[in-house]
Structures are given as structure tokens and as C-alpha cells.
Amino acid sequence: MKKLLVISFFVLLVVSAFSEVIPIAQIYKLKEGETVEATGVVLVEPSALMNKTTWIQDSTAGIMVYGNLPTLKLGDVIKITGKTKLYYGILEILPDKIEVIGKSEVKPVNLNELFKKLAEQNDGKVSSQKIGEAFNSVMSMLVTLEGTISSIQGYQFTVKTEYFEILIYLRKEANVSTKDLKVGDKVSVTGIMYLYKDTFEILPRNQQDVVKK
């Protein structure tokens, strides 16, 4: 039975349609505080970026999970039940029950490609409003981008692309160093899309998520 569950995460979504499990994107349409049941792939091991925190993602969206979490590995497919809560603008699930039901892999959303399509739909331009809407649409998801470092300061640096600029924040728990980086370097960055005090930022999970080109 376990082997069948491992075959494809997306099969789980089809099966879930006949139960109480709902797509993560649908959770964002519910009232805060409702009890939900969902399945998703673990994007980062608990507490590897923030204390008692992980993120999961299905084919529709990603969401933050906060609480007393069991041991989870990157790529674990989990079934989670819990109440939702809004935390400084980010929706999260406070889990009552978590069950590992398989393994899978998440392909990060390519922000360069996303914004290229937006530009093609808007006469080659992307307004600041559209930028915010695009970032918000991939909140708590695994994203990736390529661009040029425009500034570096302490545990953070900014990456500029053709259509947008975004802050890359390096959590101490991730142990990501910037010693080999400088302004003007071209980099590829992968991480969790996050929002802190109305500022969108990407949180790399480890050193391998920041690659100098």
C-alpha cells in the first residue's frame, strides 16, 4: 500500500476529492479559524528556517504550518488536520494531527517565467500592483529566480530582474553565507516566498539554494 502512495503525489489529490481533504488553494477562501484537512509536500524540515515551523505545497498552493511538529523530512507527503490562523498577513495551519502518507518532489515556481508571461499580457510592462499580486499568488510556495545582486547587507541581499526586485533574507538557521557574493553578481535563488511587515522576501533553505552564476 505504501508503494502505491509513493507513486505520485497528484494521485493523492484525486483520491482526496472523495474525502474531506481539500486543495490548499481552497483553504485561503475559508474563514480564519476553521478546521481544515489537506495534503501537501513538505518544503523544509521543521525548525530548519523558523522554530516549530514548516511549509507544505500541493498542486494548487502552499501554506505555512506552525506548532508542535513531528519529525518530517523534505519531500514527505503529509495529511494534516488543524485550524487556520492569520499570522502577520500569512495564513497558517495549527496542526492537531499530521500523518506521513508518501514521498514526492515539488518543482519550484519560476518567477522569471511568471513575470515574462505577465509582461506579455500587459504590453511588455508589469506595474507595481501586478508585482504585488504575483508575489502574493505564490505565497508560502517554493519559488526560484535568476537575477543580479543589487545590494548586500548583513543577512540579506536584493536581487534585481528585468521586471522586479526582491529581498532575499538569510535566516540564521539556514546557515547560508554571502562571503563569496558581491553586488553585480548573477545568482540563482530558490526558497520559500514569505511576507514580513508588508515586504515580500524569499527565504533560502540552505546553501544549495543560493548559486552564483
Side-chain angles (χ1 to χ4, degrees):
M1 186 64 173
K2 287 185 178 179
K3 290 183 179 179
L4 291 175
L5 289 171
V6 173
I7 292 175
S8 173
F9 169 62
F10 298 104
V11 172
L12 294 171
L13 294 178
V14 175
V15 173
S16 70
F18 299 94
S19 66
E20 296 180 355
V21 176
I22 62 174
I24 292 175
Q26 189 174 333
I27 295 175
Y28 284 89
K29 300 177 182 179
L30 303 176
K31 292 182 179 179
E32 179 186 0
E34 289 203 23
T35 297
V36 297
E37 188 173 23
T39 58
V41 182
V42 174
L43 302 179
V44 58
E45 294 183 7
S47 300
L49 279 181
M50 296 181 188
N51 186 39
K52 300 170 109 177
T53 303
T54 188
W55 286 263
I56 62 171
Q57 181 176 328
D58 66 8
S59 62
T60 67
I63 196 165
M64 186 174 173
V65 178
Y66 175 81
N68 294 317
L69 304 173
T71 299
L72 298 172
K73 298 296 183 182
L74 181 69
D76 280 347
V77 178
I78 65 171
K79 183 176 181 181
I80 179 172
T81 303
K83 291 185 177 181
T84 60
K85 180 181 178 181
L86 201 59
Y87 175 78
Y88 290 100
I90 297 180
L91 191 67
E92 61 183 12
I93 297 177
L94 308 180
D96 294 319
K97 182 180 178 182
I98 292 179
E99 178 186 4
V100 178
I101 57 176
K103 294 287 291 186
S104 189
E105 185 176 346
V106 170
K107 182 180 179 180
V109 176
N110 189 307
L111 296 183
N112 299 90
E113 294 179 1
L114 175 63
F115 277 84
K116 182 179 179 180
K117 290 179 181 179
L118 278 176
E120 291 173 349
Q121 297 166 3
N122 294 275
D123 300 321
K125 299 180 180 179
V126 182
S127 66
S128 57
Q129 179 181 344
K130 290 292 184 181
I131 291 174
E133 290 174 355
F135 285 160
N136 194 61
S137 72
V138 292
M139 179 61 61
S140 295
M141 296 179 72
L142 189 65
V143 299
T144 190
L145 79 156
E146 289 189 8
T148 302
I149 296 178
S150 55
S151 67
I152 301 179
Q153 184 178 7
Y155 289 99
Q156 63 188 42
F157 61 94
T158 303
V159 173
K160 183 177 179 61
T161 73
E162 183 178 358
Y163 301 107
F164 65 90
E165 194 170 34
I166 190 165
L167 180 69
I168 312 299
Y169 189 79
L170 309 175
R171 300 280 304 182
K172 290 183 179 180
E173 298 92 331
N175 294 316
V176 180
S177 172
T178 60
K179 65 179 182 178
D180 295 326
L181 301 177
K182 65 181 184 301
V183 172
D185 283 346
K186 294 186 181 301
V187 292
S188 171
V189 177
T190 300
I192 308 296
M193 178 61 76
Y194 191 65
L195 181 68
Y196 180 71
K197 293 184 177 179
D198 297 323
T199 298
F200 290 103
E201 55 189 35
I202 295 174
L203 308 178
R205 301 162 299 172
N206 48 51
Q207 190 68 55
Q208 289 68 43
D209 277 346
V210 179
V211 179
K212 184 176 177 180
K213 294 294 185 177

